[in-house]
């Protein structure tokens, strides 16, 4: 039952001690000092609005708790979290990415959640594979906030206007490059191109590698590909820039890897690459009708390039002083149906079957499109790769930097490939 809210200061101001509380008909627990939690996440305004609504719902349900939310764009999030963690001032509830979870867990920055399973954290409706996706070295350090996979998000209206078919689940890399060049030519709009430049994006590079039977990293934490492989990758995007199929380096440099300044949102390209759960945020910022399909494929007989993974996870700081409350907040986000209806599928398709069933009727067209896309991809994906090693986040930034340098003619393609492999290997060796 919802309890009346009265903070400690207001009670004292009224001159009410414990006897006063009784006179007011309030339980003695209402006198307890307010517990405060800090929650930290990356993402768009759409995500921030939904997250803050759920925090408000939680605070209305459980009195005596205040949750201070803080959000940043992806590119700023990780340096800030690293600084706060090093300063022993990490937030209590941390939105975590699969790429970084092993690094933070092995650093001792995250709280092992196993002791709380069945004691405040209910995972009985989560598929074992989803629970495993939050494990590092056999212990649970993160709970999935939703499943997703990579996607190619496109302006449906723009393709209709030029009379070209958009890419689909069977479009391979060669056909994609040809289609993008044709689109740019047909659009006849200066400064408007078929695609964003994906050469510096790790997820799409990983998808391309996997269609060739390779991975980003080997089980012993070395690069899973060679200099010739990434030279071919950089060359593909150099050719795209030369043909006009993707945006210029000057435009792509405006992209800070968030929805707001993606080339699609800025009206510079008809295609952007993103995770499937981001369709909601993209559509909220684009007037044109958007749709999505998979990354280009490797063609007939090629291996699947994509996989379904936790879009993001919630982890708890190992240094939180409010362990029980933080666990309860985490459990509320992943198991409460009302919270699920607010969150929708913006962070991906919920893992809990009861939550997914509970929100199904409330999904709008975008939500259903996302759920349908995940269902269509289920038979087209490969296994979840191993947890990325320490330094993977730094290597992601390196990929973007080298691709930019090639785009601006500061590096030849072959020199860029050599530089990337050399620096990435050094980062991995350092651990």
């Amino acid at each position: 039952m919802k309890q009346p809210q009265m903070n400690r200061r207001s009670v004292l101001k009224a001159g009410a001690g414990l006897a006063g509380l009784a006179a007011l008909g309030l339980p003695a627990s209402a006198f307890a000092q307010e517990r405060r939690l800090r929650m930290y996440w990356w993402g768009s305004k759409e995500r921030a609005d939904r997250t803050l609504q759920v925090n408000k719902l939680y605070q209305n349900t459980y009195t005596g708790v205040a949750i201070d939310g803080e959000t940043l764009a992806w590119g700023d999030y990780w340096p800030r979290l690293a600084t706060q963690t090093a300063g022993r001032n990490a937030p209590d509830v941390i939105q975590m990415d699969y790429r970084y979870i092993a690094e933070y867990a092995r650093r001792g920055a995250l709280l092992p959640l196993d002791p709380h399973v069945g004691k405040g954290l209910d995972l009985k409706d989560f598929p074992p594979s989803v629970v495993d996706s939050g494990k590092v070295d056999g212990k649970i350090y993160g709970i999935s906030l939703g499943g997703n996979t990579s996607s190619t998000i496109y302006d449906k209206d723009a393709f209709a206007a030029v009379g070209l078919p958009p890419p689909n689940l069977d479009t391979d890399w060669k056909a994609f490059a040809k289609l993008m060049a044709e689109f740019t030519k047909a659009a006849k709009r200066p400064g408007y191109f078929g695609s964003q430049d994906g050469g510096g994006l790790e997820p799409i590079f990983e998808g391309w590698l996997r269609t060739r039977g390779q991975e980003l990293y080997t089980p012993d934490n070395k690069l899973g590909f060679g200099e010739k492989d990434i030279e071919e990758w950089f060359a593909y995007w150099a050719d795209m820039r030369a043909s006009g199929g993707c945006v210029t380096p000057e435009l792509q440099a405006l992209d800070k890897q968030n929805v707001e300044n993606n080339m699609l949102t800025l009206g510079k390209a008809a295609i952007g690459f993103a995770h499937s759960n981001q369709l909601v945020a993209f559509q909220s910022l684009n007037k044109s009708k958007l749709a999505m399909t998979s990354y280009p494929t490797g063609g007939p007989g090629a291996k699947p390039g994509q996989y379904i993974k936790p879009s993001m996870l919630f982890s708890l700081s190992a240094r939180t002083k409010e362990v029980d409350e933080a666990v309860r907040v985490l459990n509320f986000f992943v198991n409460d149906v009302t919270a699920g209806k607010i969150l929708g599928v913006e962070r991906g398709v919920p893992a809990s079957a009861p939550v997914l069933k509970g929100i199904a009727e409330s999904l709008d067209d975008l939500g259903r499109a996302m759920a349908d896309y995940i269902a269509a991809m289920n038979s087209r994906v490969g296994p979840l790769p191993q947890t990325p090693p320490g330094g993977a986040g730094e290597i992601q930034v390196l990929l973007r930097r080298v691709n930019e340098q090639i785009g601006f003619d500061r590096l030849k393609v072959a020199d860029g490939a050599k530089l990337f492999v050399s620096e990435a290997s050094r980062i991995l060796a350092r651990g």
Side-chain angles (χ1 to χ4, degrees), residues 369-388:
M370 200 180 309
D372 290 346
Y373 175 63
I374 293 293
M377 290 300 292
N378 273 328
S379 62
R380 293 172 172 263
V381 295
L384 193 67
Q386 65 172 18
T387 309

Side-chain angles (χ1 to χ4, degrees), residues 147-171:
N148 77 356
T149 185
S150 301
S151 69
T152 299
I153 297 180
Y154 61 88
D155 185 329
K156 195 173 178 180
D157 294 340
F159 276 92
V162 300
L164 289 171
N168 58 47
L169 296 177
D170 296 318
T171 301

